[in-house]
Amino acid sequence: MANPTMTNPIPNPQTPDASRPDPVSRYLANFDRDRANKANALLSTGPRTAAGKQRSSQNATTHGLTSQSPVLATEDLAAYQLHCRQFHDEYQPATPTETQFTQELADTAWRLNRIPLLEAALLDRGANPPSEQARIEFDIVDAHRALATLGMHYQRLSRQFQKALNQLREIQSDRGERDRRDLKDAAALLEFHKHKGVPWEPADHGFVFSKDRVEAFAQRLMRLNERTARAALAG
């Protein structure tokens, strides 16, 4: 029976005494131990050198994926502002809550768009260090560790983006339904006052719509009712 305490349980068929492995077996054992050490290093949460500790303390500022400000000092502020305007133009927020979610979408998307650039820079730095000291302080193993971290940030930000988008869509859908109901009521009141020959303004009944909008909606509603009636007669 094999001894469970042996450090190298794989016997060498060329060695009659498995308890005294030959140099090849010793090499394989050392290789496995080195590989395990490297794997443990990859799982380590702390940097290995003083320079690494300094870089680690600056990580949040370097990649900016968890920083308070969505835009870094090294990024184009005008490009960020245009990016935000495009989101606001698309979603047309009408309330403070909608504005908050729209801005969150823009900021999250800005950070997500940064990640591919960071990944490319990390791989290039790991594969092509600018100096020997840089190679010592940051090699391809460090690059892959950082890539794994960026991957986690990407997943987190993607979930955050989707959650904000779902909430914004739900809020805007509810508001749209309320607006349609209120417009229908306002249109009915407008036609009633027209029939009576009495001036009427939406604000008289607490509506926030302009009179032009109510009249336009009333006209569309009348045309829709006429088409529905004609279709019913034709059928």
Side-chain angles (χ1 to χ4, degrees):
M1 179 179 296
N3 185 353
T5 62
M6 291 174 59
T7 59
N8 183 17
I10 303 176
N12 190 319
Q14 303 299 323
T15 305
D17 184 0
S19 65
R20 300 178 60 187
D22 66 275
V24 174
S25 297
R26 288 198 300 272
Y27 169 79
L28 292 175
N30 291 336
F31 175 80
D32 289 338
R33 183 171 60 252
D34 291 342
R35 183 170 56 182
N37 290 338
K38 289 181 178 180
N40 290 334
L42 290 176
L43 297 175
S44 173
T45 57
R48 296 187 295 270
T49 65
K53 292 178 181 180
Q54 183 178 4
R55 290 195 306 272
S56 178
S57 67
Q58 296 172 347
N59 276 345
T61 302
T62 302
H63 59 61
L65 300 176
T66 57
S67 60
Q68 183 175 2
S69 174
V71 60
L72 301 179
T74 56
E75 292 178 321
D76 188 344
L77 181 59
Y80 166 74
Q81 292 170 341
L82 174 60
H83 169 85
C84 292
R85 284 198 301 272
Q86 290 172 336
F87 271 83
H88 284 263
D89 290 345
E90 178 179 357
Y91 292 102
Q92 293 290 317
T95 67
T97 302
E98 291 180 14
T99 300
Q100 178 72 20
F101 280 119
T102 302
Q103 187 62 47
E104 182 178 348
L105 285 178
D107 290 346
T108 304
W110 182 263
R111 288 185 168 101
L112 280 168
N113 293 341
R114 186 186 303 143
I115 290 178
L117 302 177
L118 292 171
E119 290 174 335
L122 281 168
L123 286 174
D124 181 69
R125 180 183 175 190
N128 304 291
S131 65
E132 180 63 19
Q133 185 62 30
R135 185 192 67 77
I136 295 172
E137 293 181 354
F138 190 89
D139 58 18
I140 196 66
V141 175
D142 294 302
H144 282 288
R145 291 180 62 197
L147 285 174
T149 299
L150 289 178
M152 290 187 292
H153 281 300
Y154 185 87
Q155 294 176 7
R156 174 183 61 82
L157 291 169
S158 295
R159 290 192 298 268
Q160 181 178 333
F161 183 92
Q162 189 61 51
K163 181 179 179 180
L165 180 60
N166 292 342
Q167 290 174 311
L168 177 60
R169 285 175 171 171
E170 182 178 356
I171 291 172
Q172 291 191 324
S173 177
D174 291 343
R175 177 172 60 81
E177 185 61 32
R178 288 195 305 271
D179 284 352
R180 285 188 289 272
R181 289 197 304 265
D182 290 345
L183 271 172
K184 189 173 182 179
D185 292 343
L189 286 170
L190 174 65
E191 293 303 316
F192 174 79
H193 284 81
K194 280 185 178 180
H195 181 72
K196 293 292 186 179
V198 179
W200 181 79
E201 292 293 334
D204 295 341
H205 286 80
F207 296 110
V208 296
F209 314 117
S210 67
K211 189 173 182 180
D212 290 342
R213 184 180 178 188
V214 176
E215 288 179 339
F217 182 84
Q219 292 298 320
R220 289 197 301 270
L221 194 59
M222 290 176 61
R223 289 194 295 270
L224 177 61
N225 291 337
E226 289 172 358
R227 286 198 298 268
T228 301
R230 287 196 298 269
L233 291 174

